[in-house]
Amino acid sequence: MDTHDLELARSIQRREQTLGNSQARKGQRPARPPRSQVVFRFQLTLMASRVRALSKGPQNFTIKSSFVPLAYVPCVAPLSALKKTMIDDLLLETHHRGTYLLARAVTPQDCMTAVMAIVEDEKGDVLMAQLYHQDDGRTEDILAKGMVLIIKEPYFKLMSDGGYGLRVDHLSDVVFLAANDERIPGSWQEPPRQSATALAWKEKGNDHVKESSYRSAIMCYTRALGCAPTPEEMHTIRLNRSLAFLKTQEYDAALSDAEFAANSASSAKKPVEKALFRKAQALYSLERYRECCEVLKELRLEYPDNTKAKSELTRAISRLAEQTYGKYPFRQMYAEAASLQPPHLDRATYLGPVAVQPAGSRGRGLFTTRAVKAGDLLFCEKAFAHAFVDKEAGSGCDITMLIDPESGGGTMGSQSDLINMTVQKLYRNPSLLPLITDLHHGAYQPVDTAAVDGQPVVDTFLIRRIIALNCFGCPRSTLASHQHNRSPSTSLTTTTTTSALEKEKEKENVFYSCGLWPTASYINHSCASNARRSFVGDMMVARATRDLPPGAELTWWYQLPWPRQPAQSKSNKLHSHWGFACACALCADDQATSPAALAKRESLAAGLRRYVSSLGARELGNGDAVADKIKGVVDAMAATYGAPASEVPRLAVWMAVQGALVKVLKAGGPGMGPVVVRPVRMVELLLAAFAALGFVIDAGAALVVRRWGLLVDGVVDSWLLLRDACHFAAPELVPAAEGYAKTAYRMVFGEDETFDSVDSPR
Ligand SMILES: C[S@@+](CC[C@H](N)C(=O)[O-])C[C@H]1O[C@@H](n2cnc3c(N)ncnc32)[C@H](O)[C@@H]1O
């Protein structure tokens, strides 16, 4: 812990104490400081945060921390059913159900983990309002000075700095009012517009578009539509509003406006060109590529000179092909992932032979719909949301920390950003809600209202829970992270086999990047997994790691199966975080194995490690003795298992043999020329290592994998080593070994286009 950490920890502790007292004050009506003092203090804080932002160099970062309140549900009552309340009536630590507060911002906004401003009510009383999960990446302010808003069922609470304020966690609990909205009291109204006609509002909307103030533009266009426009005006207003909706990424609404404009074009005597183009853009963004292609084809037919439509059609056809056939240009995707910031690829999701089905006590699971072969593509999914932190750039970025006193934990970094992104995307595109809200959310009880007052209801606490249980940590690309992890002076083989499993751990550090992939979220955990995931940017590639029949449940690792952790242990993350005890063959076998057998296994492995470390030049000169020793340990360790390795993979044996082979190879020199262990013995040991993982391999006149075993990273290198040993020991087996190396590579990295660039261990 450095000084920075200590300061942070102390500040968290102080705030925790403040909040700890909050429940004792529930229901109190606090004495509020005078308005001038509240406003002045806020302005000082605002100035301080602006100075901080200006002085921030590339080498430092800001930790934005915030306490998550106890989960509460969003308001599901229509505004018409709520009664107006005033700041003076608010009670501490209370959700004022059945009421709303009309307020106006009297300061500019400050953006930390929330968008904050001081707001007043009609009596002039003031309070701080904190709006969480708003999109602060917009070009325009969310809560600019003078803006009027309605806060539904206001939650008045003690803030961690000891002050009081209104906290809004659900986007649908706040309604921003357009200027001249009739709900704005007369004293707050702007001077009446000279001509509050549809045309005037439309023009004001157009002005906002020119300034890239799309949210304001949408408000104006919506006002225009309420001013009895002519059919022609209506067409234009909705066409223009569809553009603004595209810019704010509200694609459902953009599509609806563009469709209206397209359908009304002929009666409004207007060309349909722009409407069709915007409709296609909305469909593309909603990943509805087939419909997008249809619209663009229609557009091309009527307007053959529209070159933009031509290029957009080419792009949409490429997405449709990816979506339909699951063929991807992986090399190109690596280049895109390396250069794009964030690495969000313009690629489509392919869902292969998989379907969600009931999985007994595991809830739902993902199952194969037909037989698949080891290495086959199951799906290649684009993230619904992806929060990327550039691990290499490392500094200069802000880190959000959400502390959850309820669970004693919290979320840090990109996972907090992922919550915001997901909430935002769903709020803007309610057609996507079921895709996410159907995901596993443990015991959390969501509201069953999907929309109120024409706005979607997105329960932030539900999304938080869904992300906690379903998000995946990810590198910029699995291949790049693998290459980054290995030392440039050594071959792929020597580094990855040393600690293949440990290296994998580093790749999915949720502190950095993470994402939500809805289909992948249905895959349950098993230590004896039969599928693997890899990443290229925000695309997740899932492949089968063994031959599977139709109707097989797909499983992969939520946590690495090594080192073994007792399935029933409360400290096992599967238990503490996901709420289950793994009942796979490995876990069942662990439980069935006596402590004496486990101790024997460990002492044999430790003995082998000591032996290999102590090898000197003289011993290395007698490769057969070394091979005999390794083989002897394998056999002795095997005797501690009750079930065959094809039923219960023997990870301890695999780790021991791989570790020993790597050390011996290193001792033998960089290549296999001065090989310590004769190739024929090498083949024997590698086959024993494969067998420990549960592989069933025929190695006689031909090399045939009858059954694939547990697919850990090091398997790729073992196949490459086997291939190279076969060069000397059994050249006729080389092509088959190379083929299996390539299949294993495809499982680990998601593709085999780059297989040829792998360093040979020879
Ligand atoms: C990411 S979700 C997986 C899909 C989930 N089964 C569903 O019905 O949506 C994770 C949750 O699935 C369940 N789960 C996953 N693997 C399991 C296993 N091996 N045994 C029991 N439950 C499991 C746990 O409830 C876990 O919190």
Side-chain angles (χ1 to χ4, degrees):
M1 214 183 222
D2 62 18
T3 340
H4 190 88
D5 293 332
L6 274 175
E7 267 171 35
L8 184 68
R10 279 200 207 109
S11 134
I12 290 172
Q13 240 169 19
R14 268 198 309 276
R15 291 193 287 157
E16 238 172 355
Q17 274 162 7
T18 314
L19 290 174
N21 300 330
S22 64
Q23 282 313 300
R25 308 201 47 192
K26 187 175 165 69
Q28 287 181 4
R29 185 177 281 124
R32 283 174 292 98
R35 175 184 170 119
S36 55
Q37 194 179 323
V38 175
V39 172
F40 179 66
R41 272 202 197 144
F42 181 81
Q43 274 167 341
L44 280 185
T45 330
L46 186 61
M47 263 154 49
S49 64
R50 287 183 178 165
V51 169
R52 246 195 332 269
L54 281 175
S55 59
K56 201 172 82 169
Q59 290 310 310
N60 45 43
F61 56 86
T62 310
I63 294 191
K64 298 174 171 182
S65 65
S66 166
F67 281 80
V68 179
L70 290 179
Y72 68 94
V73 291
C75 175
V76 291
L79 201 52
S80 57
L82 302 178
K83 280 218 233 45
K84 193 191 262 188
T85 191
M86 305 300 279
I87 289 178
D88 212 19
D89 298 327
L90 299 177
L91 306 178
L92 267 181
E93 295 305 320
T94 304
H95 295 280
H96 295 81
R97 296 288 178 197
T99 69
Y100 75 89
L101 182 80
L102 182 72
R104 175 168 70 164
V106 296
T107 62
Q109 68 176 33
D110 190 10
C111 285
M112 286 297 279
T113 42
V115 172
M116 300 179 290
I118 302 299
V119 297
E120 64 174 351
D121 66 8
E122 285 163 81
K123 287 195 214 157
D125 287 331
V126 291
L127 263 188
M128 154 106 79
Q130 297 190 337
L131 310 182
Y132 282 82
H133 306 294
Q134 299 288 336
D135 179 10
D136 54 6
R138 290 176 196 269
T139 46
E140 53 199 315
D141 283 353
I142 298 294
L143 192 49
K145 188 172 175 185
M147 199 176 259
V148 181
L149 69 164
I150 287 174
I151 298 176
K152 295 166 93 180
E153 303 195 328
Y155 176 25
F156 183 43
K157 74 181 303 298
L158 201 64
M159 301 295 184
S160 55
D161 64 358
Y164 320 111
L166 293 165
R167 178 173 177 125
V168 187
D169 287 273
H170 305 290
L171 293 177
S172 50
D173 283 356
V174 56
V175 182
F176 295 97
L177 302 184
N180 299 85
D181 187 299
E182 43 287 339
R183 289 168 290 187
I184 299 180
S187 57
W188 287 356
Q189 283 281 5
E190 283 176 12
R193 295 175 57 82
Q194 294 211 313
S195 52
T197 61
L199 194 65
W201 279 113
K202 185 199 83 174
E203 275 163 11
K204 191 154 172 61
N206 291 352
D207 290 344
H208 281 305
V209 167
K210 283 186 203 128
E211 292 155 6
S212 305
S213 301
Y214 300 110
R215 230 171 121 242
S216 308
I218 290 166
M219 280 188 178
C220 291
Y221 292 136
T222 307
R223 294 288 291 168
L225 291 172
C227 293
T230 64
E232 292 80 37
E233 284 170 345
M234 176 96 107
H235 166 88
T236 312
I237 294 164
R238 292 199 67 179
L239 183 64
N240 292 3
R241 195 174 65 170
S242 78
L243 173 70
F245 277 135
L246 283 173
K247 297 288 185 184
T248 56
Q249 298 172 4
E250 292 168 86
Y251 302 117
D252 285 348
L255 179 61
S256 157
D257 274 353
E259 269 174 341
F260 179 93
N263 295 339
S264 60
S266 68
S267 59
K269 301 192 184 55
K270 301 272 178 155
V272 75
E273 189 173 9
K274 274 189 185 167
L276 287 181
F277 193 76
R278 285 176 195 164
K279 184 175 170 184
Q281 283 182 300
L283 286 167
Y284 190 97
S285 302
L286 290 166
E287 299 177 24
R288 290 161 59 177
Y289 301 115
R290 191 173 298 281
E291 293 161 83
C292 175
C293 286
E294 294 312 314
V295 174
L296 287 169
K297 279 180 197 158
E298 185 187 337
L299 180 55
R300 291 274 301 137
L301 219 58
E302 290 199 39
Y303 301 91
D305 295 337
N306 188 328
T307 50
K308 195 88 204 300
K310 188 177 173 194
S311 61
E312 285 300 283
L313 180 58
T314 309
R315 189 160 81 108
I317 288 172
S318 304
R319 294 298 81 74
L320 186 59
E322 287 160 4
Q323 194 174 54
T324 314
Y325 305 112
K327 295 264 180 272
Y328 295 88
F330 283 103
R331 271 186 198 279
Q332 204 176 316
M333 286 162 71
Y334 284 128
E336 290 162 6
S339 61
L340 291 171
Q341 185 64 7
H344 294 169
L345 275 47
D346 184 11
R347 300 283 165 192
T349 291
Y350 162 75
L351 296 181
V354 294
V356 176
Q357 282 168 23
S361 60
R362 293 176 298 286
R364 299 149 308 169
L366 200 67
F367 290 75
T368 54
T369 52
R370 60 169 164 76
V372 295
K373 299 299 266 175
D376 277 1
L377 183 64
L378 297 166
F379 58 82
C380 181
E381 191 174 18
K382 183 163 174 66
F384 178 86
H386 183 252
F388 183 75
V389 176
D390 192 349
K391 205 170 163 183
E392 277 76 54
S395 52
C397 53
D398 290 342
I399 294 172
T400 314
M401 191 163 89
L402 301 179
I403 307 139
D404 185 354
E406 196 179 357
S407 69
T411 47
M412 180 94 174
S414 60
Q415 218 188 104
S416 310
D417 299 337
L418 190 65
I419 297 170
N420 264 12
M421 287 177 180
T422 307
V423 166
Q424 282 287 334
K425 184 167 174 180
L426 291 173
Y427 190 66
R428 292 182 203 147
N429 300 285
S431 69
L432 305 176
L433 263 167
L435 189 68
I436 302 303
T437 54
D438 280 355
L439 296 179
H440 181 63
H441 46 76
Y444 187 84
Q445 285 293 330
V447 290
D448 56 8
T449 307
V452 67
D453 290 331
Q455 289 300 318
V457 172
V458 180
D459 182 341
T460 303
F461 295 93
L462 171 67
I463 301 304
R464 183 188 299 281
R465 195 80 200 109
I466 287 172
I467 286 178
L469 292 170
N470 295 276
C471 89
F472 295 86
C474 50
R476 193 185 273 270
S477 85
T478 303
L479 185 64
S481 126
H482 183 90
Q483 286 165 342
H484 179 79
N485 280 339
R486 75 191 167 102
S487 129
S489 61
T490 52
S491 78
L492 173 79
T493 307
T494 46
T495 47
T496 55
T497 44
T498 322
S499 54
L501 286 169
E502 281 81 351
K503 290 275 185 227
E504 284 182 52
K505 220 182 250 178
E506 285 177 36
K507 290 185 210 160
E508 297 196 5
N509 189 337
V510 288
F511 181 80
Y512 293 100
S513 302
C514 62
L516 193 57
W517 285 266
T519 303
S521 294
Y522 286 99
I523 298 187
N524 288 316
H525 166 90
S526 171
C527 306
S529 61
N530 57 19
R532 272 192 71 127
R533 58 182 177 272
S534 52
F535 300 91
V536 189
D538 63 340
M539 301 297 290
M540 182 199 281
V541 187
R543 290 193 181 267
T545 56
R546 61 181 60 154
D547 297 347
L548 296 169
E553 185 183 350
L554 297 165
T555 56
W556 59 23
W557 300 325
Y558 288 12
Q559 67 177 18
L560 294 173
W562 184 267
R564 302 294 304 144
Q565 294 186 49
Q568 305 296 337
S569 160
K570 293 267 185 290
S571 64
N572 187 330
K573 197 173 175 202
L574 296 177
H575 203 287
S576 61
H577 184 77
W578 282 284
F580 69 92
C582 181
C584 74
L586 272 91
C587 288
D589 188 70
D590 287 345
Q591 271 182 291
T593 306
S594 69
L598 287 175
K600 174 99 193 283
R601 210 178 276 171
E602 177 42 39
S603 97
L604 285 164
L608 183 60
R609 281 195 296 275
R610 278 196 303 276
Y611 165 77
V612 179
S613 303
S614 70
L615 289 175
R618 195 165 56 85
E619 293 84 355
L620 284 167
N622 185 356
D624 275 353
V626 174
D628 286 345
K629 172 73 183 179
I630 298 174
K631 187 68 178 47
V633 172
V634 170
D635 293 341
M637 284 180 85
T640 66
Y641 287 86
S646 55
E647 284 170 26
V648 182
R650 299 166 179 174
L651 277 169
V653 178
W654 156 266
M655 295 298 284
V657 180
Q658 284 301 106
L661 283 181
V662 167
K663 284 210 163 151
V664 169
L665 278 174
K666 272 190 178 165
M672 293 225 344
V675 66
V676 177
V677 177
R678 281 187 298 131
V680 68
R681 300 299 311 270
M682 187 59 121
V683 170
E684 179 194 10
L685 290 175
L686 286 166
L687 289 176
F690 279 128
L693 286 179
F695 279 80
V696 178
I697 300 174
D698 286 351
L703 185 69
V704 181
V705 174
R706 297 276 170 221
R707 182 188 186 280
W708 281 77
L710 201 59
L711 214 285
V712 296
D713 275 13
V715 164
V716 179
D717 300 318
S718 296
W719 279 114
L720 290 170
L721 274 180
L722 189 73
R723 174 198 67 184
D724 293 344
C726 283
H727 266 288
F728 302 99
E732 67 284 6
L733 303 186
V734 168
E738 167 130 344
Y740 289 124
K742 196 167 178 176
T743 304
Y745 184 93
R746 193 159 69 239
M747 293 169 184
V748 172
F749 298 109
E751 49 80 30
D752 57 21
E753 272 179 46
T754 56
F755 174 73
D756 290 340
S757 57
V758 170
D759 298 351
S760 168
R762 290 179 66 234

